[in-house]
Amino acid sequence: VLGVIALGGYSVEAEASLTLGDLAPIFILMLCFIVQSGVEEIVFRGWMLNRIAAKYGFWVGALGNSTVFALMHIDDSVTSMTLANGAIFVSMTMLFSIFLSLMVRHDKSVWGACAWHASWNWLFITWWGLPTTGIELGLKPLVMDLMPTEGAAKWLTGGAMGPEDSIVAVVIMTAGTLYYLMKKERSPAN
């Protein structure tokens, strides 16, 4: 989000002016994202990755679960995108999944991936008032209410899908993936 702001893709729609009553939906949404993202991570990185990797190796498992994860996130809003924005969305979703697969392999646990995924979804909506995977809830955000700057390219802002469909997110996920590729695996605890 900060990268897109720095490149001129987002501007402030409204300053955050929360009341105590505005906090309840934000924290309920946090719990919902913990459950939703946790279930996805347990299924895709906890179960599917491990089942495929046990038989065919880690990279087949990572690419297999990432492909199914990306396909699961395609709906009418994705199929109606331009080719460039659709390619960014699929690339970003695959990179996100590969990054989390590498995190699980490194940490030897799915819990960090659950936390990352839940935070990713929750922060876009509740801190910045931006959609995540096209879901826009219209909550008063905690930090500031952002919107795409008029005339900003969709490949920069992510358009209606939100910042995770921006080229900035692709760059960040590529960097995160490279980080885990270069990092040595932890040895199992004794």
Side-chain angles (χ1 to χ4, degrees):
V1 171
L2 297 177
V4 176
I5 291 170
L7 294 170
Y10 293 138
S11 53
V12 177
E13 186 173 4
E15 293 295 328
S17 59
L18 295 172
T19 65
L20 194 55
D22 295 326
L23 295 177
I26 288 171
F27 288 108
I28 290 169
L29 189 60
M30 178 179 65
L31 295 173
C32 292
F33 275 129
I34 288 170
V35 171
Q36 172 267 324
S37 300
V39 168
E40 284 187 15
E41 290 310 312
I42 289 166
V43 169
F44 286 98
R45 260 61 71 186
W47 177 75
M48 187 181 294
L49 169 65
N50 287 311
R51 294 291 296 171
I52 298 171
K55 190 165 185 166
Y56 301 106
F58 173 77
W59 283 108
V60 173
L63 292 173
N65 91 75
S66 298
T67 300
V68 176
F69 182 80
L71 290 171
M72 187 186 85
H73 285 80
I74 293 176
D75 61 13
D76 291 340
S77 60
V78 176
T79 57
S80 65
M81 289 179 181
T82 65
L83 182 59
N85 282 92
I88 291 172
F89 180 80
V90 171
S91 298
M92 179 51 219
T93 308
M94 289 287 293
L95 276 168
F96 182 79
S97 188
I98 291 167
F99 166 77
L100 292 175
S101 295
L102 288 165
M103 178 188 286
V104 166
R105 180 176 78 169
H106 177 269
D107 294 347
K108 300 194 183 326
S109 171
V110 74
W111 300 117
C114 292
W116 183 281
H117 192 162
S119 298
W120 177 273
N121 290 340
W122 185 72
L123 293 174
F124 288 152
I125 291 175
T126 63
W127 282 31
W128 309 106
L130 295 167
T132 182
T133 317
I135 300 167
E136 190 165 6
L137 299 178
L139 297 173
K140 287 186 181 179
L142 289 167
V143 178
M144 69 179 69
D145 196 4
L146 296 175
M147 64 180 195
T149 303
E150 190 173 331
K154 285 184 182 177
W155 57 263
L156 175 60
T157 67
M161 295 304 282
E164 65 190 359
D165 194 27
S166 74
I167 195 71
V168 175
V170 171
V171 169
I172 289 169
M173 281 292 100
T174 300
T177 299
L178 292 173
Y179 168 79
Y180 274 111
L181 285 172
M182 293 185 294
K183 203 170 174 168
K184 292 186 178 195
E185 286 188 57
R186 291 182 181 175
S187 58
N190 295 331

